Amino acid sequence: MALFFAPDIAKTPFLNEEESLHCIKVLRLSVGDKIQIIDGCGIMYDAVIVNPYPKKVEVTLLEAHPDFGAHPYQLHMAVAPTKNIDRFEWFVEKATEIGVDTITPLLCRYSERKVIKQERLEKIVVSAAKQSLKGKIPVVNPLTPFHEFVKMSVEGQRFIAHCREDERLLLSKQVMPKKIVTILIGPEGDFSEEEVNLSFNHQFIPVSLGDSRLRTETAAVVATHTVALLNE
């Protein structure tokens, strides 16, 4: 199944230029061919091509499938971008494939990367959602200072995975299925002591991801997969 993305497909029955070119020039589809389109909000539509314009494919919608590829939880991953942005982009892609609802890049005291290209990350999540057959596109937030993020109103379970020698329980033993979950993952230099204490003041629970010392992007993927696995 080749999925196409069109956020306004329910109101405007056209694919944008990028999706149209892929449909007509790459996949060589034409009039009468059936395709599937996601709106990014969880609905997948069966559709048929009626006008195969290379820059603006027109379709007729046939049937809507709500909650396409949905998961029974809500996961917000707040992660400090890595110095090597390719590694952070890898996390964004894999987290989307596994199942995540919101991604917030965090600006921490020891962050080595303080600039991101949000538009590029948004393109990555669209591509990953289509590849993994998901109807909902994760929200990618702007780079947010740590102290601002933890003070926001956050629903559900809240966890911080830090490397201090404090008493921490395994994330896999703390996450409850079918809940709203927020997980903080720090930069290569970990969270500062002040950041960890601030998170405690806002009801974040310290957790461990296991005995191995993990890179930022690996820890973020492990956390994402742990939540998904517990909801199987």
Side-chain angles (χ1 to χ4, degrees):
M1 177 190 293
L3 283 183
F4 297 90
F5 173 54
D8 298 319
I9 194 63
K11 298 178 181 178
T12 308
F14 297 97
L15 301 182
N16 65 21
E17 182 174 348
E18 182 179 353
E19 295 284 64
S20 295
L21 285 171
H22 182 70
C23 179
I24 303 305
K25 297 295 186 181
V26 179
L27 299 179
R28 299 187 180 278
L29 300 177
S30 190
V31 174
D33 287 330
K34 292 183 178 180
I35 62 175
Q36 286 73 41
I37 304 169
I38 58 172
D39 66 354
C41 296
I43 302 176
M44 187 272 282
Y45 295 89
D46 292 322
V48 62
I49 297 172
V50 293
N51 283 311
Y53 301 129
K55 293 187 177 182
K56 196 175 184 181
V57 169
E58 183 180 0
V59 302
T60 295
L61 300 182
L62 302 175
E63 186 178 359
H65 303 274
D67 299 322
F68 177 72
H71 45 254
Y73 59 91
Q74 291 185 41
L75 176 59
H76 189 158
M77 292 297 301
V79 183
T82 51
K83 182 177 181 181
N84 181 345
I85 194 61
D86 290 346
R87 287 162 44 193
F88 186 73
E89 291 176 354
W90 176 82
F91 149 68
V92 169
E93 178 185 70
K94 300 310 171 190
T96 302
E97 292 177 10
I98 295 167
V100 68
D101 298 278
T102 307
I103 296 172
T104 299
L106 282 181
L107 180 60
C108 301
R109 178 179 177 182
Y110 298 132
S111 290
E112 294 187 274
R113 171 165 291 279
K114 301 179 180 180
V115 176
I116 63 166
K117 295 181 179 179
Q118 186 176 353
E119 185 177 345
R120 175 170 170 79
L121 296 178
E122 289 170 347
K123 288 182 177 180
I124 290 172
V125 297
V126 168
S127 177
K130 292 195 297 182
Q131 189 278 329
S132 56
L133 303 182
K134 289 180 169 51
K136 186 177 179 181
I137 306 295
V139 173
V140 178
N141 288 325
L143 186 66
T144 304
F146 179 90
H147 69 278
E148 291 182 10
F149 183 86
V150 296
K151 292 177 182 178
M152 293 178 182
S153 177
V154 179
E155 296 183 61
Q157 294 187 287
R158 312 173 203 182
F159 301 107
I160 179 170
H162 63 76
C163 299
R164 294 198 322 189
E165 293 301 321
D166 297 353
E167 181 178 347
R168 296 169 295 154
L169 298 175
L170 285 171
L171 177 65
S172 60
K173 302 295 185 182
Q174 296 297 303
V175 171
M176 293 184 291
K178 300 181 180 180
K179 299 295 183 180
I180 300 172
V181 180
T182 299
I183 302 175
L184 309 179
I185 304 291
E188 285 92 333
D190 199 17
F191 295 112
S192 69
E193 183 174 352
E194 292 79 9
E195 288 169 338
V196 173
N197 291 335
L198 181 62
S199 75
F200 293 168
N201 291 338
H202 289 83
Q203 290 76 54
F204 281 83
I205 298 171
V207 290
S208 167
L209 300 174
D211 293 332
S212 298
R213 184 173 183 177
L214 305 176
R215 289 179 178 272
T216 293
E217 73 279 8
T218 309
V221 168
V222 168
T224 304
H225 184 257
T226 297
V227 174
L229 194 61
L230 290 171
N231 279 275
E232 288 292 333

